[in-house]
Amino acid sequence: MALSRRAWLLAALGAAAAPCMALEDIWSRLRHGGLVILMRHGSTEGGYGDPPDFRLDDCRTQRNLGEAGRAEARRVGERLRAERVPIARVYTSPWCRCRETARIAFGEAEDWEALGLFIDAPDREADATARVLKRIASYARTKPHGNVAMVTHAVNIAALSQRTVKPAEIVVMRPDGCCGARTIEVIPP
């Protein structure tokens, strides 16, 4: 039985996301490529969730990044560049806060609706999570030059990695070539 993204988030809320590997080791692994970087969007203004009548095609109707979130995204991008972490491709949720985080941290990013939120269509959550896991798993076979980054929401990252994350925090996963990936580290913003 597949758990929804919300169920994973609730289950993971009590779980510690403390790093288990020395940061220098994870930077070394990232420099070699072949990993997936799941990043939560930066800090937002206006609390939690989007206004009731938000539209994806109008950022003014959504909860967006604040100055703190933009600074977090800049720091993440600067750190990845300073550590010489190669990025092969960047995908982002179509929500404006994710797009802006991706643009600031990585430059360009491709919208992928499977990384979005399914607040009004929870029946689609499991399908979206399965599609993301399938794509992540495929990187073990296709071996892209560099790492693949995905900027998304906390609830999605919890469903994919069983880890809770703060704004602009990263979960690094190793594709398994079969069904998904194994979480290998959490990097604070």
Side-chain angles (χ1 to χ4, degrees):
M1 172 186 224
L3 292 177
S4 71
R5 291 177 184 180
R6 270 186 201 48
W8 273 116
L9 180 60
L10 292 173
L13 279 175
C20 56
M21 178 183 283
L23 275 181
E24 191 48 49
D25 291 339
I26 194 62
W27 291 123
S28 176
R29 290 180 77 171
L30 282 164
R31 281 184 211 105
H32 287 92
L35 301 176
V36 174
I37 296 168
L38 291 176
M39 180 179 176
R40 181 179 176 189
H41 60 76
S43 296
T44 60
E45 295 180 340
Y48 182 78
D50 289 294
D53 296 326
F54 82 93
R55 293 190 340 255
L56 282 180
D57 65 345
D58 187 353
C59 292
R60 295 171 300 170
T61 67
Q62 298 177 36
R63 181 171 51 100
N64 292 303
L65 288 185
E67 283 307 315
R70 289 182 192 94
E72 291 162 350
R74 272 191 296 280
R75 282 193 303 272
V76 167
E78 289 167 359
R79 181 68 189 263
L80 290 169
R81 286 185 291 281
E83 294 292 343
R84 299 177 325 280
V85 174
I87 304 296
R89 194 149 197 193
V90 181
Y91 297 99
T92 182
S93 161
W95 266 249
C96 295
R97 57 188 171 267
C98 292
R99 283 178 174 164
E100 187 175 8
T101 299
R103 183 185 52 75
I104 293 169
F106 300 102
E108 296 183 30
E110 178 182 333
D111 276 8
W112 187 24
E113 65 86 25
L115 293 173
L117 292 172
F118 294 95
I119 297 163
D120 296 329
D123 54 310
R124 292 180 42 213
E125 282 184 25
D127 176 61
T129 300
R131 285 189 296 145
V132 174
L133 283 172
K134 184 176 179 180
R135 184 170 288 183
I136 289 172
S138 75
Y139 297 132
R141 293 185 302 276
T142 60
K143 297 181 179 17
H145 176 70
N147 302 286
V148 175
M150 297 182 180
V151 180
T152 188
H153 309 269
V155 68
N156 299 1
I157 293 171
L160 294 163
S161 69
Q162 300 180 15
R163 298 288 185 105
T164 57
V165 290
K166 298 173 185 158
E169 202 163 48
I170 289 173
V171 173
V172 179
M173 300 184 80
R174 186 183 72 221
D176 68 8
C178 163
C179 314
R182 181 173 141 319
T183 301
I184 60 172
E185 192 56 82
V186 176
I187 300 175

